[in-house]
Amino acid sequence: MSQTSATTGDGQGDFKLAKERRAFLGACLGALLAAGAGAAAYPVFRYLAPRQKADNGQKVEIPEAELTAGNAKYFEYQGKAAVLIRKKNGDLVALSAVCTHLGCVVQWQKANEQFLCPCHGGLYTADGTVISGPPPKPLEKLSFVVANGKIIVG
Amino acid sequence: MSFLKRIYRWIDVRIGAGELVEKELTGYLLPRNINVWYSMGSILLVIFTIQVATGILLLVYYVPDADKAFHSITFIMNNVPFGWLIRLCHAVGSNMMVLILFCHMLSVLFMGSYKSPRELNWLSGFTLFLLVLALSLTGYLLPWSQLSFWATTVATNSVGAIPYVGGFLVEFLRGGKLVGPATLGRFFALHVVLIPSTIAAVIGAHLFFLQRTGVSTPPFGLDDSKNRWQGEGYRYESHPGGIPFFPNYVLQDMTSIAVYFAFFLGVIFFAPHVFFPADAFVPANPFQTPDHIKPEWYFLANYQTLKIFPSEFLGLAVQGAVTAFLALLPFIDRGAEKHPLKRPLFMVCAVGGILLYLALMIWGHYS
């Protein structure tokens, strides 16, 4: 009688132990697979990640003579489109050319001295202030200096 | 009930996943004497998946233009983070695919698994083998190195030995009289779209035939290893009392795949240049043939065969005849016996053929 109980007890103990061992080995296998997946995913992520451009933080130089009154000069600044304009009164303005609505590049309207975003009709003044349309914010202003006949943005 | 079990139950009541698992995994029984060679197909599926994945990744930076291709490859190797790893996985993987295909086909040959009613399995498998060789050949040109340029020149030139249409075929393959930018364009299209999609379709057909006919019984460890099918009607070869595919044979598949990965990654990390001779690092120059240009190891026997015959046509004809013989083997070898040791004629031909192939390969390498 007592022997039978002991056997049953041991059997249950063995079953419990086997179940625990199976759960432990399952967890080990899961961890191993996760490590393998990570080891494969990391190089792929690094391979596809955007490369840091060397010109980050660099200044852009534009000869002053290239920009006559009423005209605009588009250029790339820190990986984004930017624009430099010389108003009819001779004032210089440097702005980000990326519309604050959905990221299209605004176009300079020489006759009205305004920027128009052709995507959804956003209208800005020559200083980047929103006149009408969906843009939520004015165009970002960029700092610049003029020295030795060059306009240096940044 | 755990969260995962609840998700499984949610799917099960909608699409009957449990029934599918029972039929295709736990209830899919395999012969009790199944062996490790039956896992070659699974390894090949893994390799093909890796080739597709790394190929797509290489397309992100590779430029299929004769003026830019070599530079784009050196850029991937030297400048893109882990670009060397992706490219080596692809280049070494292509060699591994041919190697494991050889193993898969040899095991099928020696175990007599190609015999009726599995002629279609063999034919689709043999087609896959030829397609993989075509995939390797077209991919070899893409880096636009001296090695790839001149190996392609020699390979495409050999087609010219075919009577009457040879000259036209060479020009058609190259897209011009010589290997050039037009060749790169058409090889790129073949390598990236046409051949891989055809391979995927033929893999589908191969697996469909396997699923319809059932897994063959290995001839080892049996008193009677004869093929019992007489062609009387369709029959699915079931294996009552066999071992379940899941989890038993999946464990064998996983083990084989792990061993393969150890070998594959071992080559990539410890012997990365084993498949890259010096000419692979020099940009293609159409006016300078390098010394001792040799094809990849799996084309060395073909290369040497072309060299030893007095006429190129004869060399090509012999290769064509051998290929046709191997492709049609299930229709030629109609014997019922599957055990290799009980097939003396087969053993002599197979072992002799393998030794001849290896001898030609070594001769080609040192010639």
Side-chain angles (χ1 to χ4, degrees):
Chain A
M1 183 72 182
S2 61
Q3 202 178 5
T4 315
S5 314
T7 314
T8 314
D10 283 347
Q12 279 174 352
D14 287 349
F15 180 69
K16 201 180 160 203
L17 196 68
K19 217 174 160 186
E20 279 176 4
R21 189 161 52 201
R22 177 170 287 211
F24 173 73
L25 289 173
C28 287
L29 189 66
L32 207 66
L33 288 175
Y42 177 69
V44 173
F45 171 74
R46 287 291 315 280
Y47 181 83
L48 293 173
R51 293 166 53 74
Q52 295 297 319
K53 272 201 164 180
D55 67 348
N56 262 5
Q58 277 194 350
K59 296 174 192 301
V60 175
E61 288 187 3
I62 294 163
E64 223 184 333
E66 274 188 21
L67 203 59
T68 50
N71 285 317
K73 168 92 182 159
Y74 283 83
F75 57 98
E76 196 179 308
Y77 177 69
Q78 294 188 347
K80 291 192 221 166
V83 63
L84 191 67
I85 54 162
R86 189 187 288 279
K87 292 199 269 189
K88 284 173 186 162
N89 63 12
D91 289 352
L92 283 169
V93 182
L95 297 166
S96 160
V98 181
C99 179
T100 55
H101 178 220
L102 288 174
C104 297
V105 170
V106 294
Q107 301 299 306
W108 175 240
Q109 311 290 299
K110 190 177 175 180
N112 311 328
E113 293 213 314
Q114 288 173 341
F115 285 107
L116 170 72
C117 179
C119 289
H120 302 95
L123 209 57
Y124 302 86
T125 65
D127 296 311
T129 312
V130 180
I131 300 169
S132 64
K137 289 187 292 185
L139 294 172
E140 188 193 340
K141 280 195 164 62
L142 303 177
S143 61
F144 66 93
V145 289
V146 184
N148 304 323
K150 285 178 184 168
I151 307 162
I152 303 157
V153 181
Chain B
M1 198 186 284
S2 75
F3 181 64
L4 282 176
K5 277 189 179 161
R6 279 168 65 183
I7 291 179
Y8 176 73
R9 166 121 185 95
W10 189 89
I11 296 170
D12 184 32
V13 294
R14 279 158 180 83
I15 62 164
E19 190 188 313
L20 213 61
V21 166
E22 164 67 25
K23 186 169 175 276
E24 304 295 342
L25 299 173
T26 52
Y28 176 31
L29 299 180
L30 304 173
R32 291 199 73 83
N33 61 338
I34 197 163
N35 56 46
V36 66
W37 297 102
Y38 279 68
S39 59
M40 294 295 130
S42 302
I43 300 178
L44 283 166
L45 276 178
V46 169
I47 299 177
F48 183 66
T49 310
I50 294 174
Q51 289 304 100
V52 171
T54 52
I56 291 170
L57 287 171
L58 287 174
L59 281 176
V60 174
Y61 295 103
Y62 174 73
V63 185
D65 179 310
D67 294 329
K68 296 172 182 164
F70 185 81
H71 179 256
S72 69
I73 291 288
T74 49
F75 180 74
I76 290 170
M77 290 295 279
N78 302 328
N79 298 75
V80 182
F82 292 100
W84 60 271
L85 182 63
I86 307 287
R87 201 241 169 160
L88 284 179
C89 278
H90 197 72
V92 173
S94 69
N95 285 277
M96 293 298 172
M97 187 145 67
V98 178
L99 185 70
I100 305 296
L101 254 172
F102 276 132
C103 294
H104 189 36
M105 292 174 83
L106 284 175
S107 70
V108 167
L109 272 178
F110 279 93
M111 289 192 277
S113 305
Y114 58 88
K115 295 195 172 206
S116 56
R118 295 189 173 78
E119 294 93 334
L120 290 170
N121 303 54
W122 174 261
L123 276 176
S124 55
F126 200 83
T127 308
L128 282 172
F129 172 67
L130 296 179
L131 284 168
V132 165
L133 290 184
L135 193 64
S136 305
L137 184 79
T138 48
Y140 210 52
L141 178 69
L142 304 189
W144 207 247
S145 64
Q146 274 290 72
L147 180 73
S148 49
F149 185 91
W150 293 101
T152 306
T153 298
V154 175
T156 49
N157 203 49
S158 59
V159 181
I162 298 173
Y164 306 113
V165 291
F168 169 76
L169 279 179
V170 172
E171 216 167 297
F172 190 80
L173 269 174
R174 292 175 175 173
K177 292 205 180 303
L178 296 171
V179 172
T183 323
L184 183 64
R186 54 188 60 211
F187 272 41
F188 178 72
L190 284 171
H191 184 78
V192 171
V193 181
L194 191 64
I195 302 177
S197 49
T198 312
I199 286 180
V202 183
I203 288 175
H206 195 62
L207 294 177
F208 172 74
F209 296 140
L210 173 71
Q211 207 258 352
R212 292 299 297 163
T213 319
V215 172
S216 65
T217 310
F220 307 118
L222 302 173
D223 294 331
D224 180 11
S225 50
K226 282 197 171 69
N227 183 14
R228 290 279 160 220
W229 194 74
Q230 300 292 322
E232 62 279 8
Y234 168 69
R235 183 201 66 181
Y236 174 81
E237 188 172 342
S238 58
H239 303 281
I243 62 162
F245 176 68
F246 182 85
N248 297 48
Y249 204 73
V250 167
L251 189 65
Q252 174 61 65
D253 272 343
M254 291 298 154
T255 309
S256 302
I257 290 165
V259 171
Y260 165 74
F261 266 114
F263 180 54
F264 171 60
L265 294 175
V267 172
I268 287 175
F269 292 122
F270 297 105
H273 297 315
V274 73
F275 297 118
F276 292 93
D279 287 321
F281 301 98
V282 181
N285 181 350
F287 301 107
Q288 191 191 9
T289 312
D291 298 331
H292 312 300
I293 195 85
K294 291 278 164 67
E296 280 281 70
W297 62 271
Y298 43 83
F299 284 129
L300 277 172
N302 309 66
Y303 160 82
Q304 189 58 29
T305 309
L306 283 178
K307 275 171 69 175
I308 54 176
F309 278 94
S311 92
E312 209 174 317
F313 169 68
L314 208 58
L316 213 61
V318 167
Q319 288 184 47
V322 171
T323 308
F325 175 78
L326 283 174
L328 300 174
L329 190 63
F331 304 98
I332 298 163
D333 178 8
R334 308 295 294 175
E337 184 55 58
K338 289 170 72 184
H339 199 295
L341 297 179
K342 294 176 188 167
R343 291 190 286 157
L345 180 65
F346 165 82
M347 275 300 264
V348 170
C349 293
V351 174
I354 292 167
L355 289 177
L356 181 67
Y357 184 81
L358 290 175
L360 283 169
M361 191 191 276
I362 295 165
W363 191 5
H365 180 73
Y366 288 106
S367 66

